[in-house]
Amino acid sequence: MIKKVAILANGGDVSGFNAVIRAILKTAENNGVECYGFIDGYRGLLKNEYVKLSTYNSQTGSGILPKGGSIIGSSTNANVFNYKVINDDGSIEYKDLSDVCVQNIKDDGFDCVFTLGGDGTQKSARDFSLKGINVIGVPKTIDNDVACTEITFGYNTAVSVAADALDRLHTTGETHHRIMVLEVMGRYAGWIALESAIAGGADIAFIPEIPYDINCAIRKINGRRAKGKEFSIVVVAEGAMPKGGEISVESVRNNGEGVDNTKLGGAGQRVAKQLEELTGLEARCTVLGYMQRGGTPTAFDRVLSTKYGAKAMELALEGKFNVLTVIKNGRLDSVPLEDVVGENKKIGAVSGNTKESNIRKVTMDHDLVKTARDIGICLGD
Ligand code: F6P
């Protein structure tokens, strides 16, 4: 019987973090299980900083369903298997501090740790399971790229924000006869770009999975012009790249091996500039950025997050650990964390959050690709 559990939220925030926390907490309380939250993800686990959660306390669990962010924080660069340590002399070292975390969990008496996060977070969770810790993962990310599940929480809200932005770009683009480019997030996967392009009525969508030929976009724009449409709407995934070209990188951060150090950026501007030069129309680029991660979750994400959270606690009560809650064929289910990690079996230094990780990308036979093609959205190929 489990008595005491802890939640950690890790990686870039999404709308729905709190809804998952609430669902785990409520299911725990309904079953007489004490529930705690580590502060700032794996960093809190390392420092052993946590709070008791309660649905009767407005700071730690009451009224959090519609709230954006995470009431227990989150960390985007804390790989405790390869953790950045600054020594007294200012030198930097990367150390495996995972055993400190294991000891903290044992000393605190947590029977299970719920890891809310994307591929990097779940890779570390799998590594902790190999060290004897009971973990249950919940798939989070606006990018929708976690392996083994059809949808991650936070994604639907990001798509809704992008679709709303496209509606707004439509009216200003139409008024000024411009090409309006919207750059959206998604890292190495094109889910947000593709789905928001459909939801927002875009004419062109460039995604990382299909390196684009700018001439396809030119033909599309000129075809529209010939029929009297003087404006066009273009969605560009931040990870999109031209055929034979490179991904657009804004900077490379120094947060050590084992997390993705690449900050993507500039893909939208690159496309806008080329389109302006090659069509003679004015083009403007909007980078949607962190708007996609902040604020209240959609009703869909509130429900999905609640399902995921309740399922995670249910699995813990059944003693089914070291799994990830997933949606498979539209139904709530779970899969071993081992399957989520995929081929990247090596324990430790390398987290899942790299180009080599086992992420779920858009496949060419996916309904969204077919639908986009059917209605004439130019995908750049
Ligand atoms: O993975 C989620 C995400 O928002 C990506 O879409 C984006 O590339 C990245 O995180 C931004 O990361 P950061 O919060 O470190 O700037």
Side-chain angles (χ1 to χ4, degrees):
M1 272 301 291
I2 58 162
K3 297 218 167 330
K4 195 175 169 187
V5 297
I7 302 172
L8 65 80
N10 203 66
D13 70 333
V14 301
S15 304
F17 252 151
N18 289 323
V20 177
I21 293 168
R22 172 180 175 270
I24 294 173
L25 174 60
K26 276 189 172 263
T27 312
E29 284 181 346
N30 287 340
N31 286 279
V33 176
E34 279 184 61
C35 192
Y36 294 77
F38 281 108
I39 303 299
D40 294 344
Y42 282 120
R43 186 166 297 131
L45 176 55
L46 179 62
K47 294 186 176 167
N48 210 22
E49 288 173 359
Y50 55 86
V51 284
K52 181 153 185 349
L53 302 175
S54 163
T55 52
Y56 295 94
N57 182 318
S58 61
Q59 301 298 311
T60 60
S62 171
I64 62 173
L65 178 62
K67 215 172 164 182
S70 157
I71 60 160
I72 50 175
S74 183
S75 174
T76 54
N77 54 7
N79 178 9
V80 289
F81 289 84
N82 197 36
Y83 197 78
K84 183 176 180 176
V85 178
I86 303 174
N87 296 316
D88 291 344
D89 65 359
S91 60
I92 291 172
E93 261 186 281
Y94 290 92
K95 289 187 179 170
D96 180 356
L97 298 178
S98 57
D99 286 339
V100 177
C101 302
V102 168
Q103 200 54 51
N104 288 342
I105 294 167
K106 287 185 179 160
D107 291 348
D108 299 333
F110 292 123
D111 300 309
C112 175
V113 178
F114 297 98
T115 54
L116 282 43
D119 53 309
T121 303
Q122 305 311 342
K123 167 71 167 48
S124 291
R126 191 291 304 248
D127 291 352
F128 276 117
S129 77
L130 296 178
K131 287 177 173 266
I133 298 299
N134 291 331
V135 290
I136 295 177
V138 184
K140 167 242 65 164
T141 170
I142 62 165
D143 305 339
N144 201 31
D145 63 354
V146 176
C148 305
T149 187
E150 283 155 21
I151 190 159
T152 55
F153 71 90
Y155 168 67
N156 180 265
T157 306
V159 170
S160 299
V161 170
D164 179 60
L166 287 170
D167 287 348
R168 291 169 194 279
L169 292 175
H170 245 107
T171 56
T172 170
E174 191 165 8
T175 303
H176 294 291
H177 319 298
R178 282 174 169 162
I179 299 166
M180 303 304 286
V181 175
L182 181 68
E183 181 185 302
V184 297
M185 283 184 166
R187 211 180 279 267
Y188 306 115
W191 296 107
I192 300 177
L194 186 57
E195 192 151 352
S196 67
I198 294 172
D203 308 296
I204 296 159
F206 290 161
I207 61 173
E209 293 84 349
I210 306 177
Y212 63 84
D213 174 355
I214 200 75
N215 294 311
C216 295
I218 306 293
R219 281 196 292 277
K220 177 78 188 175
I221 291 166
N222 286 339
R224 283 171 57 77
R225 268 165 114 182
K227 288 180 183 150
K229 296 241 184 179
E230 296 285 341
F231 74 101
S232 288
I233 305 292
V234 185
V235 182
V236 177
E238 61 179 355
M241 71 200 92
K243 258 186 202 153
E246 290 296 324
I247 213 159
S248 206
V249 173
E250 187 183 297
S251 59
V252 177
R253 291 171 291 193
N254 178 24
N255 50 9
E257 261 187 82
V259 284
D260 191 339
N261 290 318
T262 314
K263 171 109 186 68
L264 301 181
Q269 190 54 48
R270 172 166 66 177
V271 169
K273 197 166 169 280
Q274 265 195 303
L275 291 179
E276 186 164 285
E277 280 166 11
L278 296 169
T279 63
L281 285 171
E282 276 189 324
R284 294 285 187 270
C285 175
T286 302
V287 179
L288 198 51
Y290 298 86
M291 300 283 289
Q292 293 157 96
R293 291 184 1 192
T296 193
T298 57
F300 181 94
D301 258 332
R302 294 181 197 196
V303 174
L304 179 67
S305 301
T306 303
K307 281 161 74 176
Y308 271 149
K311 174 76 178 176
M313 190 62 217
E314 205 181 278
L315 288 163
L317 291 165
E318 290 166 5
K320 292 186 185 150
F321 302 113
N322 312 332
V323 292
L324 180 80
T325 60
V326 296
I327 299 286
K328 207 156 102 188
N329 300 323
R331 304 288 307 270
L332 255 186
D333 207 333
S334 63
V335 295
L337 279 169
E338 206 61 51
D339 293 357
V340 181
V341 172
E343 296 307 306
N344 187 3
K345 300 282 184 205
K346 194 175 147 206
I347 189 168
V350 178
S351 87
N353 198 9
T354 69
K355 264 191 203 164
E356 290 73 39
S357 56
N358 189 36
I359 61 166
R360 191 178 74 102
K361 292 193 168 210
V362 175
T363 52
M364 293 309 107
D365 62 348
H366 195 279
D367 283 352
L368 289 176
V369 174
K370 290 184 180 166
T371 302
R373 292 198 194 282
D374 282 345
I375 63 167
I377 296 178
C378 163
L379 297 179
D381 58 346

